[in-house]
Amino acid sequence: MKLTISRSRRTAADQALDANALELFARIAQAGSFARAARELGLTRAAVSRRVAAIEAAVGLALFARSTRSLSLTEAGRRLHARARTVLEAAEGARLALRSERDMLGGTLRISAAPVFGVHVLAPLLARFQTLHPALRYELMFTYRKVDLLREGVDIAFRATARPPEDWVVQPLLRYAVRAYGASGRAPLAGPLALAELPCLLVGQHEEPSAGFWLSESGERVELSLQASAWGNDLDALLMMARHGEGVVLSPDFCVPPDAGLVDLLPGWRLAVQEGEWIQALTLPMPAGSETARALLRFLREVLADSPSPD
C-alpha cells in the first residue's frame, strides 16, 4: 500500500504536513499514546488529538489504530513515520546545537502555590534551580486562592486539585497524605476515634465541628467530626503548638520532616482529602506556556521522583 494524496487534497495536505506536523506525528508515534505525547510536548491531549485528526483528514488515511488501552501505527502511518522520523532527528540535532545557549535561562517566572507547599517544598528547590540559572528571577504568589494563569500572567501553578482546568497542561508532581501529628514521645492512638478526645489544631476556618473520613491501609473507613481547639491559615504556627504539646495537628506529610519534633499518632491512617492526594503542576499549553516554566518543572520532577509514597 502506497501513501498517496489526491490532487484535490494536495493544498490542505501541504499545510497539514509541514515540518512541525511531521515532528509532532513522530513524537506521538514514539510516545505510544496521545496523553504521554501531550505531557512531553506541553500540550493538552485534546490539542494533540485535533492535530492528528487534521493530518489524517488532509491525507485521507488513518495513521493510528486506536483502542482503549493502546495506540499503534497503521500501514500508512508506518510509511509516513519513516519520513517524519528524519524531520524529528533534524529538529533534535538543531536543538542540541543550541542547548548551551538555551540552558542559560533568564527572565522572571511568576509562580503560584499554596503556602504550605510553597514554603516547605517549593522554596528550597527554587533556590537550587536558581543556583543553576543565576539570571533567573521569581515572583512568588503563595496563596490559597485559585489563580487564573492566563488572566494573571502566571507561568506555573502548584495545586492540590482533583479537577484541574481542562485547558491547562496538568502533571502530577508529588503524592502526599494528611496525617495526625503530635509531640515526640507521645504514644500512638488506638484509632481515629481517639482524636475526638484530644485538642486538635486545624488549618482553615473551623469554628464549628469539622467532619471528615479517615482511611486505613487495610481499607477501613472511619467518619469523624472534630472540634478544633485552634485553627487558622498558618500551618507553621499550628505545627509549633503541636511540637510544644498543645494538641494534635492535621498536616500534609511533606510539612513534617523526620527532625521536626513530631510523630505520626495514627500510623497507617490518613485523612481523605477532597482535592485528591497529588500536588499537580499546571502550565499553559504551548505556545503560550513558558519554556522556562517547563524547564523548572522537569527539574522538580527529577528531584521529587525519589520522594517516598505516603502509603
Side-chain angles (χ1 to χ4, degrees), residues 27-296:
R27 288 190 179 278
I28 296 170
Q30 182 175 290
S33 78
F34 285 1
R36 187 177 298 115
R39 288 193 298 269
E40 293 175 356
L41 292 167
L43 299 170
T44 63
R45 189 185 187 285
V48 171
S49 297
R50 287 195 298 270
R51 293 287 298 276
V52 170
I55 296 172
E56 290 181 328
V59 301
L61 294 168
L63 302 175
F64 290 101
R66 304 163 177 84
S67 71
T68 56
R69 295 188 176 182
S70 65
L71 181 73
S72 59
L73 292 171
T74 62
E75 181 181 350
R78 288 193 296 271
R79 292 178 181 275
L80 181 61
H81 184 232
R83 301 179 181 181
R85 191 168 51 204
T86 302
V87 175
L88 174 61
E89 291 171 353
E92 289 182 340
R95 294 188 186 99
L96 182 63
L98 297 172
R99 177 173 294 175
S100 59
E101 177 181 345
R102 186 186 63 191
D103 283 351
M104 295 300 293
L105 300 176
T108 301
L109 270 181
R110 298 195 75 202
I111 300 170
S112 172
V116 291
F117 178 77
V119 172
H120 290 271
V121 178
L122 188 59
L125 298 181
L126 290 178
R128 289 174 56 181
F129 191 67
Q130 195 170 38
T131 299
L132 299 174
H133 305 284
L136 184 62
R137 302 190 302 166
Y138 303 122
E139 181 179 349
L140 304 179
M141 301 168 60
F142 288 175
T143 174
Y144 290 108
R145 177 180 63 84
K146 292 183 179 179
V147 301
D148 186 312
L149 272 71
L150 185 59
R151 183 174 300 175
E152 300 184 47
V154 174
D155 295 296
I156 184 166
F158 300 91
R159 293 184 188 169
T161 175
R163 295 182 178 180
E166 294 182 357
D167 294 336
W168 295 353
V169 178
V170 182
Q171 298 191 45
L173 186 66
L174 179 66
R175 193 179 180 200
Y176 73 100
V178 173
R179 304 191 188 277
Y181 295 95
S184 296
R186 294 194 64 158
L189 302 177
L193 294 177
L195 288 173
E197 307 300 323
L198 298 174
C200 291
L201 315 173
L202 308 179
V203 175
Q205 295 298 319
H206 295 283
E207 295 184 30
E208 301 298 327
S210 177
F213 290 94
W214 287 83
L215 306 173
S216 75
E217 294 176 356
S218 61
E220 293 180 76
R221 179 184 174 98
V222 174
E223 184 175 7
L224 179 63
S225 183
L226 297 176
Q227 177 65 64
S229 63
W231 65 91
N233 61 2
D234 190 337
L235 177 60
D236 286 331
L238 299 176
L239 289 168
M240 181 65 72
M241 292 177 66
R243 194 175 297 122
H244 285 81
E246 296 300 316
V248 179
V249 61
L250 305 188
S251 169
D253 50 8
F254 57 71
C255 296
V256 187
D259 59 351
L262 295 166
V263 294
D264 183 0
L265 298 180
L266 287 172
W269 290 87
R270 69 182 188 276
L271 181 66
V273 180
Q274 184 178 4
E275 293 81 7
E277 58 185 14
W278 284 90
I279 299 295
Q280 311 265 22
L282 293 80
T283 56
L284 291 168
M286 294 175 67
S290 163
E291 172 58 34
T292 304
R294 287 189 288 273
L296 171 61

